């Protein structure tokens, strides 16, 4: 199966013509069920697919099937190349301009791997069938406890500092979530707050959120004095901590961290691959707050430059994870436009209703 927006290149056609029937993935349909129908997929990581976040989601879909993938990566897709070769899974990586003969050999190697993976999946399914009721009851109770523990890490009371007020909505798609947030009063006039999203689902992503919660530095105390950690410094240090763990499951995360001076309403923020916060003004106009920065856990020594914006009375600032786009049924371009249009329509309602 060919997965990609670009036409099938000549070297791929020549590499597959003798042994395989290459058919494109069905556009507009979930990829997971389609991967379950094939033994081998060629994923052309062009455009958005060269983004580490997108590639990580593709790996998640792939891991739930017995298919094997060959990723075609353009020479300039350094982030995707590093992220994929750093992790492990049922895939191979090749450069998109590889000669047809070499690509054919890679595909043959991937095809040899597929029956082994299919056998593992069958054995796992058989193991699940044994003592199913007891195992699932036990697993269900464990997941309930994990969900309760994860919620215990969320702030129990939202700070009220000066004229600034907060509202939150936290609704995991399953028992545990790959998203986490925190709002911390740092001193008499400063509040730090962030939203983080571990790429992936289930327990691995939830465990990474716990690491983020404990590792992200907002304030450093030195005896009787302290220092507020700037957002760009916080994210750079968190990135180093995650990279140092050398996680084997190719996990990344996105974060947006804001530091607000409530006495002046000056906001400093930094992003690491996260959807940009949306600033909604009292007159109903809105603007995304963007800042450069790639995903955390990909490149050591990465920089996450901070930006500043001056808030005004009755402004609203929305931080969210990409789950909000699914809830609001936004399209692929909804991150900027459809979401902002929805929010502008809600400008007149209370914070709690919003």
């Amino acid at each position: 199966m060919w997965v990609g927006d670009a036409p099938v290149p000549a070297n791929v056609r020549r590499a597959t013509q003798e042994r395989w029937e290459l058919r494109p993935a069905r556009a507009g349909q979930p990829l997971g069920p389609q991967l379950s129908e094939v033994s081998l997929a060629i994923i052309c990581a062009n455009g958005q697919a060269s983004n580490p976040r997108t590639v990580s989601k593709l790996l998640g879909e792939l891991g739930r099937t017995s298919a094997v993938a060959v990723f075609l990566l353009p020479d300039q897709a350094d982030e995707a190349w590093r992220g994929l070769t750093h992790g492990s899974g049922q895939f191979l990586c090749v450069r998109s301009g590889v000669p047809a003969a070499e690509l054919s050999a890679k595909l043959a190697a991937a095809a040899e791997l597929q029956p082994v993976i299919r056998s593992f999946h069958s054995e796992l399914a058989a193991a699940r069938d044994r003592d199913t009721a007891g195992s699932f009851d036990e697993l269900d109770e464990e997941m309930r406890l994990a969900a309760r523990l994860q919620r215990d890490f969320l702030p129990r009371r939202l700070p009220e500092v000066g004229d600034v007020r907060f509202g939150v909505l936290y609704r995991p798609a399953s028992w545990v979530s790959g998203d986490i947030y925190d709002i911390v009063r740092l001193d008499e006039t400063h509040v730090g707050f962030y939203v983080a999203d571990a790429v992936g689902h289930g327990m691995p992503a939830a465990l990474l959120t716990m690491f983020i919660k404990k590792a992200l530095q907002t304030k450093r105390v030195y005896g009787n004095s302290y220092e507020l950690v700037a957002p760009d410094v916080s994210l750079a240090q968190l990135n180093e901590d995650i990279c140092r763990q050398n996680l084997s499951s190719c996990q990344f995360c996105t974060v947006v961290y804001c530091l607000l001076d409530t006495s002046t309403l000056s906001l400093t923020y930094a992003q690491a691959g996260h959807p940009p916060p949306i600033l909604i003004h009292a007159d109903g106009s809105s603007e995304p707050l963007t800042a450069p920065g790639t995903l955390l856990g990909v490149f050591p020594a990465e920089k996450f430059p901070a930006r500043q914006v001056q808030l005004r009375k009755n402004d609203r600032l929305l931080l969210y994870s990409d789950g909000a786009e699914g809830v609001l049924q936004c399209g692929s371009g909804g991150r900027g436009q459809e979401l902002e249009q929805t929010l502008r329509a809600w400008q007149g309602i209370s914070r709690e209703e919003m």
Side-chain angles (χ1 to χ4, degrees):
M1 184 168 69
W2 171 258
V3 181
D5 298 330
V8 180
N11 62 333
V12 175
R13 288 198 302 269
R14 289 196 297 271
T16 57
Q17 62 185 0
E18 293 185 3
R19 182 172 176 181
W20 293 280
E21 176 188 354
L22 189 64
R23 68 170 187 264
R26 297 184 293 275
Q29 298 185 23
L31 184 59
Q34 298 187 63
L35 288 171
S36 299
E37 299 172 1
V38 300
S39 59
L40 191 61
I42 303 175
I43 299 178
C44 179
N46 62 298
Q48 283 297 313
S50 65
N51 183 293
R53 182 184 182 86
T54 304
V55 171
S56 185
K57 288 186 176 181
L58 285 170
L59 291 177
E61 296 280 2
L62 182 67
R64 288 185 283 273
T65 74
S66 59
V68 179
V70 173
F71 279 88
L72 289 181
L73 299 175
D75 291 336
Q76 65 272 21
D78 292 331
E79 285 189 31
W81 185 268
R82 282 184 177 177
L84 283 168
T85 54
H86 173 73
S88 59
Q90 56 206 63
F91 60 87
L92 302 174
C93 300
V94 297
R95 297 293 185 182
S96 55
V98 65
E102 182 178 341
L103 178 58
S104 179
K106 293 279 189 180
L107 293 173
E112 293 294 330
L113 182 62
Q114 196 273 335
V116 178
I117 294 175
R118 183 172 54 202
S119 175
F120 285 152
H121 277 261
S122 298
E123 292 177 9
L124 180 60
R128 285 172 174 167
D129 288 339
R130 304 187 196 107
D131 195 23
T132 299
S135 298
F136 279 120
D137 286 345
E138 182 179 347
L139 178 60
D140 184 69
E141 181 60 23
E142 290 179 357
M143 294 300 289
R144 288 176 186 270
L145 292 173
R148 190 180 309 161
L149 178 63
Q150 189 177 40
R151 285 185 176 272
D152 287 343
F153 276 86
L154 301 176
R156 297 174 183 268
R157 178 178 298 177
L158 302 181
E160 297 182 357
V161 187
D163 293 329
V164 176
R165 298 293 181 268
F166 293 89
V168 298
L169 175 65
Y170 182 76
R171 187 170 295 169
S174 58
W175 284 118
V176 293
S177 175
D179 297 343
I180 196 169
Y181 69 91
D182 203 359
I183 308 168
V184 182
R185 181 170 183 169
L186 300 173
D187 60 16
E188 291 301 314
T189 60
H190 290 88
V191 180
F193 51 97
Y194 66 83
V195 172
D197 179 7
V199 177
H201 302 283
M203 192 59 71
L207 289 173
L208 187 55
T209 67
M210 298 296 96
F211 180 86
I212 295 169
K213 165 77 176 182
K214 302 306 293 183
L216 193 145
Q217 297 183 22
T218 58
K219 183 177 180 179
R220 294 170 181 161
V221 179
Y222 308 101
N224 295 325
S225 64
Y226 66 87
E227 172 194 9
L228 301 183
V229 183
D232 54 326
V233 178
S234 291
L235 295 191
Q237 183 60 56
L238 179 59
N239 180 63
E240 289 297 315
D241 291 341
I242 295 176
C243 289
R244 197 176 298 120
Q245 296 301 313
N246 196 25
L247 301 175
S248 60
S249 57
C250 197
Q251 283 206 344
F252 315 114
C253 63
T254 71
V255 182
V256 57
Y257 175 49
C258 302
L259 179 62
L260 176 63
D261 185 339
T262 61
S263 64
T264 64
L265 295 184
S266 175
L267 181 81
T268 306
Y269 65 95
Q271 291 173 248
H274 200 83
I278 297 178
L279 177 58
I280 311 167
H281 299 293
D283 61 4
S285 62
S286 62
E287 58 179 305
L289 303 183
T290 59
T294 187
L295 283 76
L296 297 181
V298 181
F299 303 127
E302 186 71 18
K303 304 297 183 183
F304 304 89
R307 296 289 185 266
Q308 282 190 314
V309 65
Q310 181 63 47
L311 305 185
R312 301 191 296 267
K313 185 176 177 61
N314 295 322
D315 279 351
R316 296 185 181 189
L317 180 67
L318 176 73
L319 276 66
Y320 62 99
S321 73
D322 57 6
E325 297 166 357
V327 170
L328 296 174
Q329 297 182 337
C330 293
S332 59
R335 179 163 293 177
Q337 300 176 354
E338 295 181 36
L339 186 56
E340 284 190 58
Q341 292 171 2
T342 302
L343 295 171
R344 283 197 291 269
W346 294 349
Q347 174 59 28
I349 66 177
S350 70
R351 182 179 72 254
E352 292 78 10
E353 288 177 307
M354 189 176 186

